[in-house]
Each structure stands twice: as structure tokens, then as C-alpha cells.
Amino acid sequence: MDAVNLAGEEMLDWAEPPADRPGSAAVLSWAIRDLLTPGGRVLIVGYRDDDLIRSLLATGTQVDLLLRGLTDAETAAAAYAELPVTVHNGSLNLFAGTGYDTVLALGGLARLNTPESVLSWPEAVATLRRKLRPGGTLAVVVANPFGVDRIADPGSGVRAADEDWPAGTATRTVTGLGDALATLDLADVRTFGLFPGLAAPTAVVERAALTETLTGVIASAWTWSPEHPAVADPRRLVRDAIRAGVGCELAPAWLFVGHTGTPTGTLPTATAYADRPVAPELAVVQALRSDAGGWHREPLGDLAPKSSGEITRSPELLAGKLSAGPLAEDVLLDACAQHDLATVRTLLSRYVSWLHGIDRRIGATLDNVVVTEDGLELFDPSWASSAEPAADIVATRGFLRFAQRLRSGAYENPWPIGTTTERLTITLAATAGLTITPEAVRTAAELDAEIATATGEPVGESTAPLGQREALATVARLTAALDEAQAQTKFLTDLVAKRDRQLVELRRSVTFMIGRVVTGPLSVLRKAVRRFRR
């Protein structure tokens, strides 16, 4: 269908901004596909995900698409001209369609507004609810006005975001939103946190699944970029928030999924959907589910091997039970904070020995290694290389990335504040019993850059404090180190001056004068003997 149905209050010259990361919609799209029952009529509001639409059509689903911008609507109508997709243009407030089996508002509720109709979130959700048939399902994404992304963004307090609501609207908390949905006759509402943001989620994690087991998956959603300064390292914020039990409350956005009708009375399995923020050709979205036996992982979509350059990924290796235990990087960060060199030495030594005993070691960095009761295991074992590097080079790369993390996050550690990343990498290797040279560190850095280029991740890691909070902490440590050095310098200067005064006083003493009288003739005789011998 190539015609656009006008609903009213169309935004004639408007197009929604694209997601800021290629392939970023894949995780949310797969989460929706996994959570919903296929078939029937589906209304997608304010958000066009081509993969999601085509996957729904493949199951015989009839899709209606409502977009507020005429430019977006015309583009969508042309793209789906030969497919059973009806495109509508205008505001949700004037859209008359009802009786849908599923309603999806995945781009945030702000995309449902037009200049003529600005709905509060209760009004917007209530309007969406009225579009459902009895027993229908509603999935809606809402931005968190106080998520870790806003806390870390130095401009969030002075610059309105696209998903911000007008002042004076009802308070939004994750609990309050869930309760409000329940009052609209929505039963069995499930709540998910979206990381690292509404526009580009690479982790969609149910509230009950926000535990330390998945901290690495969630923290990896953030990648360092010099173009985006931060108040604080968001990886550190989310790690601390999950440990404190407020990971969902501080998620950048929330996904709520509920259905109309009678509650089932059963609690679903805690679920998460995630992948590393990599290039689309290497992306493998994974569903992680928790039961009495622990966490289990299932790769979604095509399980054929994927490759980019020398890097390959085998999705089938992701299937199975997740290793239970913390990430090696988290254990080391905690040990460094306590200056527990014994734990650091033991774990790093185990890491080096373990690397020599595995084959697929290209992805075995410390942020992808789990510490279990039985030893070390890969959290994501799907990565490989057609030219696997030597174990010592992989270990050096792991030490280099950890050294960069220590510096960019301004984490407390036992080593001097002025230690360079290269010197810190060599020190970490020595702690593990591995002797490396600066040339080996440079080789590891080149390997890391090659892998980042192949996977589509940012090349290199910041060696300066990532956020302003970390910068202040670094300045404080540098100031303390400088004060200590100045105090030592003053102490040594005073000590030298004191010794000089003691020497002057000694030379003026009677004892020194007597000594000179006694030893004077001997000195003259010694000089005469030396002249005679010449």
C-alpha cells in the first residue's frame, strides 16, 4: 500500500532523528518479537523499525504504522508499497483506529505528541490502551528523567532532550508507571530497563534480572567517546546502581509490557536481551533467562557463523548455561580499591596460566572472563580469530585494557598516580609473573585497535579520566601525591641545612681545633713525601 492515510495534525516537514548507533534497534526488536504472540493486527506508533515490521509480516501479522512526520510517513509508504502495511500520518490524539491485538510505542511517548496535541504520559498511555481489543497486549517505552545517562550527561540539566515532557506533567517513577498501567486494566505488567538509552538500547533487562550476574552485559552497552564528555563514568554508575538494588530505577528508559483482561497469576521467568555494541554483521542478540538452575542463554535469529576481517563469531556457542560468578575485572577493581595485592597477584597469575590452556582466546579480556568456583571461564565464548595470537600477547592486551579502565574510571589502586598506561600494563604483567617489554605493550595496543576496527567498536580507550567526577578524583590524588612529594622535599632540605649548621659548629669547636693542631704536621709531611716521589 503506497498511500498515506492522514489522521489530522500532521507535521508536514518533520523527520525523526535516526538512532546514533548502527544496528542499535536489533536488541529491542528481538525482545518484542520474543515477548509477543505473533499474528493478528498490530499498531506501531511513532517508531519505525524495518526489521521488526518485516518479521511481523512474515508471521501473517497485519501492521498499521502511525507516524507524526509526513516525511517519515511518505518514506515508509514507499518502502512498504508491495506489503500489507497501512501507513497513517498525524497525532495519536486524532487517530481513530481501534481493535488491535497489539499496540507498540517503542520510540518513547514524546513521539506521540504534535504541536497541536501535547499529551501527558497518563493521557498518552490511556489513549494507547483504548486502541486494544479485549485481551490485547500493550508495549510502551518511557524515558527516565533521572537515569544514569542523564546523571552522566553534563548537559542534561540545561538542555531538553527529545523525550522530555513539558513541565507540570505527572511524576514518573518506574513503580508509579507500573501502578498507573495496572489501573488501566492492564494485567501482568512486566518492566524492563533499557541500556544505554532509549534511542540505542543494546541491553533490555527485566527488573528481576538486574543482578550482578548481568553487570558486564549492561556495562558494556556504554563505549567511550571523546565527543561525549561525562559528569561521571556511566559504567561505574550502573555497576554501583545494580549492586545497590536500584538498577531499574536508574535505567535510562523503561519498557512496559502488559495485556488487558484477567491476570494469569503466574510469574514469568526473569528475562534479559542483550548483545555487545558491535557492527551489525557480527551482532548476535541473546535471550538470557533465569530459573531454579541459574541463568541460561539462547542466541536468537540466524545461527550461521559471522565474520568481519579475521574476526569470526559462532552464535551456537552462546547457547547453554551461564557461568555463575563475577567478572574478573570486577574482582580486580574491588581488590585494587582495597590495595589487596595478594588477590590481584593470584587472579592475574591464574589468568595467564588459563590463557595458555584455551584455543579461542581472542575475546578473553578481563571484562569477558568469569571467576567461578571451578576456575575461569569465558562469559561470551563465541569470538575467534583466523590467526589466534599467542597467549602472552592476549594477556598483555587484557592487562592494557584493564590499565586503561583503571585510569579512565579513576579507580583507587595501589600504584602511583603518575604511572603511565604502558608502565601500569608492564607492572600488572609482572604481578602475574609475566615479563613484557614496552614493545609488547605496543603490539597488544595494535592488536586491540585491529579487533576494534573489525568489530565496529571505538578504537582505543581513554587514558584520561572519562568523567568530571573521575577527573576531580584524579586531581585530588595528584594533589595528595604532590603534597607528599613537597613534604618529603622540605624534610630533606631541612635535614641538609641542619647537617650544614652542625658542620659549621663542629669546625668552630675546641675539639676540632685541637685535632687540626695534632694532624697538621702529619698533613704537611704527607704532601712533602708525595712531591719527593714525583
Side-chain angles (χ1 to χ4, degrees):
M1 302 178 184
D2 57 359
V4 176
N5 296 327
L6 302 180
E9 298 181 354
E10 301 85 6
M11 298 175 66
L12 301 181
D13 189 19
W14 176 258
E16 303 293 350
D20 61 0
R21 193 175 305 165
S24 60
V27 174
L28 182 58
S29 172
W30 274 107
I32 293 298
R33 282 181 259 180
D34 190 59
L35 291 168
L36 300 183
T37 302
R41 298 176 63 221
V42 173
L43 172 64
I44 300 176
V45 185
Y47 178 82
R48 177 192 165 200
D49 180 351
D50 188 67
D51 289 341
L52 175 60
I53 291 173
R54 293 182 183 275
S55 67
L56 292 174
L57 293 175
T59 62
T61 302
Q62 178 184 338
V63 177
D64 282 17
L65 181 62
L66 174 62
L67 302 172
R68 60 180 178 175
L70 181 59
T71 302
D72 287 334
E74 291 174 340
T75 302
Y80 306 125
E82 305 299 327
L83 299 174
V85 177
T86 303
V87 181
H88 306 272
N89 176 221
S91 73
L92 174 65
N93 197 37
L94 296 181
F95 179 66
T98 58
Y100 290 98
D101 297 280
T102 303
V103 174
L104 305 177
L106 306 180
L109 297 182
R111 292 195 178 193
L112 312 183
N113 286 333
T114 63
E116 293 82 6
S117 297
V118 179
L119 305 176
S120 66
W121 71 259
E123 294 170 339
V125 173
T127 303
L128 293 171
R129 163 67 183 84
R130 289 194 293 270
K131 307 300 179 184
L132 288 171
R133 67 162 178 80
T137 300
L138 173 64
V140 57
V141 169
V142 182
N144 182 0
F146 196 67
V148 290
D149 58 330
R150 301 290 189 93
I151 298 173
D153 183 0
S156 63
V158 295
R159 183 187 68 248
D162 292 336
E163 62 269 17
D164 281 338
W165 288 81
T169 57
T171 302
R172 283 176 293 158
T173 64
V174 64
T175 304
L177 283 166
D179 294 343
L181 293 173
T183 63
L184 296 174
D185 189 31
L186 286 172
D188 300 326
V189 177
R190 300 177 68 177
T191 304
F192 296 80
L194 273 60
F195 304 86
L198 180 149
T202 56
V204 178
V205 187
E206 193 162 11
R207 185 170 192 169
L210 279 164
T211 63
E212 284 199 59
T213 303
L214 301 185
T215 299
V217 170
I218 299 169
S220 68
W222 276 274
T223 54
W224 173 81
S225 172
E227 289 81 22
H228 296 88
V231 173
D233 184 349
R235 299 169 300 182
R236 186 173 189 165
L237 288 175
V238 74
R239 177 174 175 260
D240 293 343
I242 292 173
R243 285 185 168 185
V246 291
C248 192
E249 283 75 2
L250 295 181
W254 302 301
L255 166 66
F256 298 94
V257 180
H259 64 85
T260 60
T262 306
T264 61
T266 59
L267 293 175
T269 300
T271 307
Y273 305 88
D275 190 28
R276 285 174 55 180
V278 296
E281 60 269 21
L282 290 173
V284 180
V285 179
Q286 306 144 49
L288 302 101
R289 311 181 199 278
S290 175
D291 57 26
W295 283 93
H296 298 268
R297 178 168 50 193
E298 172 193 0
L300 303 176
D302 185 11
L303 299 184
K306 304 174 184 292
S307 63
S308 175
E310 294 184 347
I311 303 300
T312 60
R313 198 174 189 191
S314 303
E316 73 277 3
L317 297 179
L318 292 167
K321 187 175 180 180
L322 277 183
S323 302
L327 290 177
E329 182 180 77
D330 288 341
V331 175
L332 289 170
L333 287 175
D334 290 339
C336 286
Q338 300 170 18
H339 289 213
D340 183 1
L341 283 173
T343 298
V344 173
R345 184 180 301 108
T346 300
L347 182 52
L348 292 183
S349 299
R350 289 174 59 192
Y351 173 64
V352 173
S353 299
W354 172 73
L355 283 175
H356 283 84
I358 63 174
D359 296 326
R360 301 171 68 93
R361 62 174 73 99
I362 194 68
T365 51
L366 291 166
D367 56 355
N368 190 39
V369 174
V370 180
V371 182
T372 71
E373 293 181 355
D374 300 325
L376 303 181
E377 297 181 16
L378 283 169
F379 182 84
D380 182 347
S382 63
W383 298 95
S385 173
S386 57
E388 286 286 344
D392 288 351
I393 293 296
V394 175
T396 303
R397 176 182 174 234
F399 298 146
L400 173 63
R401 289 170 62 91
F402 183 67
Q404 292 168 340
R405 182 69 188 275
L406 281 177
R407 296 200 64 195
S408 66
Y411 287 94
E412 177 66 28
N413 63 79
W415 298 283
I417 182 63
T419 306
T420 64
T421 302
E422 181 181 278
R423 174 52 55 186
L424 184 54
T425 302
I426 294 173
T427 301
L428 290 169
T431 304
L434 179 64
T435 302
I436 61 175
T437 63
E439 180 61 31
V441 178
R442 288 189 286 271
T443 301
E446 292 171 358
L447 173 64
D448 193 54
E450 292 172 1
I451 295 172
T453 300
T455 59
E457 297 175 297
V459 177
E461 174 74 28
S462 171
T463 56
L466 176 63
Q468 295 173 9
R469 186 179 77 168
E470 287 75 27
L472 288 174
T474 301
V475 169
R477 292 184 65 194
L478 284 170
T479 302
L482 179 60
D483 289 344
E484 182 179 350
Q486 289 176 335
Q488 291 177 347
T489 301
K490 185 178 183 302
F491 170 77
L492 294 174
T493 301
D494 293 344
L495 182 62
V496 171
K498 180 181 178 181
R499 294 291 186 263
D500 287 342
R501 290 194 300 269
Q502 290 174 341
L503 285 173
V504 172
E505 293 173 359
L506 179 61
R507 286 171 179 171
R508 293 174 179 174
S509 66
V510 175
T511 305
F512 181 79
M513 296 298 182
I514 295 173
R516 289 292 299 271
V517 171
V518 172
T519 59
L522 293 177
S523 177
V524 173
L525 179 61
R526 188 182 301 113
K527 291 179 181 179
V529 171
R530 287 177 180 171
R531 284 196 299 269
F532 177 76
R533 288 179 177 177
R534 291 176 183 173

